[in-house]
Amino acid sequence: MLRVLAVDDEEPALEELLYLLRADPRIRSAEGASGATEALRRIGGAVDAGPDDPTALDVVFLDIHMAGLTGLDVAQLLAGFAAPPLIVFVTAHEGFAVQAFDLKAVDYVLKPVRRERLAEAVRRVAEQVGDRSAPVLDTAGDQIPVELGGVIRFVPIDDIAYAEAQGDYARLHTATGSHLVRVPLTTLEERWRSRGFVRIHRRHLVALGRIDELRLDAGSMSVRIGTAELAVSRRHSRALRDLLMRRTGR
């Protein structure tokens, strides 16, 4: 049973969100705050009081565009708390998903809020809150938000076989499809280097463990990942071969 604070400086939007949250049987209590300052005061008091206090909070459903401090500002401040509540962003603006990803949000729900979409966000929160002994999922390390038909979903990075540069965007390829994200390939390269992703070409970043074959043909090199064959540039070929050799122990 979740204890919720909903934050939005537009009263009709706040009332609608509270109505939907209170109708969910997994919600023990849902209270509202009409702005960032009120939200921080209530969250600070709840954290100081401890998890067993009646004022304790499990999750904050947080609007992004508010007068004064934004929802992103609030989330950045909460990151400095010893044991902050989880965060779900609720916003009319889909362009902030990457920041939500960096701030370790559990979910990112677009307005107008649909009952079934909100129920999915509550499910994700309940999964994390349910087992207090389990570590909270590090969204920034384990998932990336993608937009699917107007809904933001979080794709596990372990499901991504390779990423393809498309200007200032990147297209992520998984076994079930592809997703375009507003993140440059160079940024993904920096973030995912420790997860076994390597640059093989100015256009491609691949998961080393997903490479099925390394092919040499008349001095050119390529890799096969599933049904995709990707060229390896001369600049990256030696480093890639060395990495693969080390993986096989040769």
Side-chain angles (χ1 to χ4, degrees):
M1 297 292 289
L2 302 172
R3 298 159 297 185
V4 176
L5 179 67
V7 186
D8 198 313
D9 63 350
E10 295 182 359
E11 186 175 350
L14 179 59
E15 291 300 320
E16 175 67 12
L17 180 57
L18 286 171
Y19 172 79
L20 293 173
L21 287 167
R22 289 166 179 164
D24 193 307
R26 294 165 294 186
I27 303 296
R28 178 194 301 181
S29 63
E31 302 300 328
S34 59
T37 301
E38 181 186 355
L40 286 169
R41 177 179 57 79
R42 297 179 68 171
I43 295 167
V47 170
D48 290 342
D52 298 323
D53 190 85
T55 64
L57 295 170
D58 297 305
V59 58
V60 179
F61 284 77
L62 187 59
D63 187 28
I64 287 181
H65 274 285
M66 295 186 290
L69 292 176
T70 69
L72 296 173
D73 294 329
V74 172
Q76 288 172 340
L77 290 169
L78 292 185
F81 284 37
L86 301 174
I87 295 173
V88 173
F89 284 109
V90 183
T91 177
H93 305 273
E94 64 184 55
F96 294 98
V98 171
Q99 289 97 317
F101 152 68
D102 285 336
L103 290 167
K104 305 182 182 180
V106 175
D107 209 343
Y108 190 96
V109 179
L110 293 176
K111 295 179 180 180
V113 178
R114 295 182 291 111
R115 186 185 300 270
E116 60 272 21
R117 181 65 185 91
L118 188 64
E120 169 65 13
V122 172
R123 182 193 67 78
R124 294 183 181 191
V125 172
E127 283 185 352
Q128 291 199 19
V129 172
D131 185 0
R132 294 290 183 176
S133 63
V136 174
L137 179 66
D138 181 355
T139 307
D142 294 325
Q143 296 178 315
I144 185 167
V146 301
E147 190 273 333
L148 293 172
V151 175
I152 302 297
R153 300 289 188 187
F154 286 81
V155 173
I157 293 172
D158 288 344
D159 289 353
I160 298 168
Y162 66 96
E164 179 181 5
Q166 294 192 352
D168 291 333
Y169 292 64
R171 182 167 293 280
L172 311 179
H173 294 265
T174 70
T176 57
S178 67
H179 312 283
L180 191 66
V181 295
R182 294 185 177 104
V183 186
L185 198 66
T186 52
T187 300
L188 295 180
E189 180 183 9
E190 293 171 4
R191 290 179 179 175
W192 293 354
R193 185 177 291 113
S194 62
R195 301 185 67 92
F197 280 80
V198 296
R199 194 72 170 260
I200 64 167
H201 191 275
R202 62 182 178 82
R203 288 194 59 201
H204 291 117
L205 179 72
V206 305
L208 201 62
R210 295 299 191 98
I211 296 176
D212 297 311
E213 290 181 357
L214 177 66
R215 298 178 175 179
L216 297 171
D217 183 20
S220 64
M221 180 183 292
S222 63
V223 296
R224 182 177 65 81
I225 300 178
T227 59
E229 185 169 349
L230 308 175
V232 180
S233 69
R234 291 183 182 274
R235 174 185 173 189
H236 295 96
S237 59
R238 183 181 183 88
L240 177 64
R241 185 183 298 186
D242 290 345
L243 283 170
L244 291 172
M245 291 301 179
R246 284 202 294 270
R247 280 181 68 89
T248 59
R250 296 179 182 177

